[in-house]
Amino acid sequence: MAETPVPSGAVLVLGGTTEGYALAAALHRAGVPVVSSFAGRTQSPREPEGALRVGGFGGVAGLARYLGDTGTALIVDATHPFASRMGWNADGAARETGVPLLRLERPEWVPAEGDRWDAVPDWETAADLLERDARCVFLALGRQELDPFARLDGVRFVIRSVDRPDPMPPFREAEILLARGPFDLAGETALLQDHGIDTIVCKNSGGEATRAKLLAARDLGVRVVMRQRPQRPQTPRVGTVAEALDWIRQNGPFGL
Ligand code: NAP
């Protein structure tokens, strides 16, 4: 993916998420200089509007240096709710440099009547739960998160991933479905039924793009093992792109 020249005095959007793309587009269209930053994990991500840089900064010190070098005016941490290290790094670098930091984080999913959810703090706990009584499990998680499940005997896995896991952990029985969201209710219902899924394992990402599997699970009485979100630093936080734009209007030098 091609990086583009970084304008000075821009808003740095730590992205890779639906919200990150939407915020970059809104700022770019409003004439505000914006740079999206991606970690570089996905092989061929969609290009954001505005400028783009790719790859880690090198911890808090590296990010602080980048902020100084580019004269970044403001940071929006719009990384995924489970990408917490970047959030802590952004907090550290913002404190060190005095650059204002906003967290844009989509609200969590909450269970409703008919849902059968087990909340877990990590994947090891999820794997222990599956070992007890699961037979056919839909793993809807990142390809780097599969290892703790490969040790389970007697469980058949259906794994959905954007890119092919490489290396593939040594599962006894696993089928890979390569797909990128959004996913709809009809498709998710068919997937659960066609594979005879009794348990879904996923994380509480929130948002609409991957929510349909939970609605399908509710309809079909399928259990969901849901990983809870990690802790984040105490920073100003909003849940929507519109709220982020308001905050930038009030805290940035852009005359929005
Ligand atoms: P992480 O644990 O928070 O970050 C690990 C390291 O990756 C960071 O210390 C940083 O390296 C680099 N990094 C992370 N996000 C970056 C960004 N936007 N720009 C530049 N460097 C970044 O994150 P992760 O869980 O590995 O996720 C990586 C990226 O994928 C995130 O940007 C996130 O939004 C996206 N994503 C994650 C998930 C998930 O479930 N974790 C799901 C969908 C999308 P340095 O310390 O060298 O700066």
Side-chain angles (χ1 to χ4, degrees):
M1 148 155 294
E3 296 193 62
T4 46
V6 169
S8 70
V11 176
L12 174 65
V13 177
L14 303 170
T17 53
T18 311
E19 291 74 16
Y21 279 105
L23 179 62
L27 289 170
H28 183 67
R29 286 171 203 167
V32 174
V34 57
V35 181
S36 292
S37 174
F38 294 171
R41 305 272 195 284
T42 307
Q43 278 160 10
S44 42
R46 195 154 61 81
E47 295 220 0
E49 292 188 44
L52 170 67
R53 66 160 303 286
V54 181
F57 295 92
V60 174
L63 179 54
R65 199 162 42 245
Y66 171 92
L67 297 175
D69 289 350
T70 55
T72 296
L74 195 147
I75 314 165
V76 181
D77 170 15
T79 54
H80 192 270
F82 283 81
S84 69
R85 177 128 59 93
M86 192 66 242
W88 288 101
N89 287 356
D91 184 54
R95 284 173 195 278
E96 207 172 300
T97 57
V99 175
L101 168 66
L102 175 69
R103 169 72 180 147
L104 167 56
E105 182 168 307
R106 60 184 96 143
E108 287 191 311
W109 292 317
V110 288
E113 199 176 328
D115 283 327
R116 297 173 53 215
W117 290 11
D118 287 320
V120 293
D122 52 49
W123 294 138
E124 281 300 336
T125 311
D128 289 346
L129 271 185
L130 299 185
E131 198 160 28
R132 271 182 241 154
D133 53 7
R135 288 286 159 269
C136 189
V137 174
F138 175 33
L139 290 183
L141 20 126
R143 63 188 172 137
Q144 293 96 356
E145 301 169 298
L146 303 173
D147 281 345
F149 300 97
R151 67 174 162 87
L152 300 184
D153 281 336
V155 181
R156 191 155 52 85
F157 288 97
V158 175
I159 299 167
R160 182 162 68 197
S161 172
V162 175
D163 296 311
R164 187 166 291 284
D166 180 23
M168 176 69 179
F171 282 93
R172 289 278 165 94
E173 209 183 336
E175 181 180 343
I176 307 283
L177 307 176
L178 292 180
R180 190 197 297 267
F183 303 103
D184 65 17
L185 180 58
E188 298 295 66
T189 303
L191 186 154
L192 298 182
Q193 286 178 320
D194 293 351
H195 291 86
I197 302 290
D198 56 50
T199 308
I200 298 174
V201 178
C202 64
K203 47 196 184 211
N204 198 330
S205 301
E208 289 307 312
T210 57
R211 182 163 171 259
K213 62 179 177 286
L214 303 175
L215 304 179
R218 183 187 300 163
D219 289 347
L220 299 173
V222 167
R223 174 175 63 156
V224 177
V225 174
M226 180 73 79
R227 181 167 171 176
Q228 300 306 296
R229 291 182 176 187
Q231 252 209 325
R232 287 259 169 191
Q234 296 289 323
T235 46
R237 184 182 295 219
V238 293
T240 65
V241 170
E243 289 167 330
L245 288 171
D246 274 348
W247 194 89
I248 293 168
R249 206 168 276 134
Q250 286 159 21
N251 293 276
F254 305 110
L256 271 175

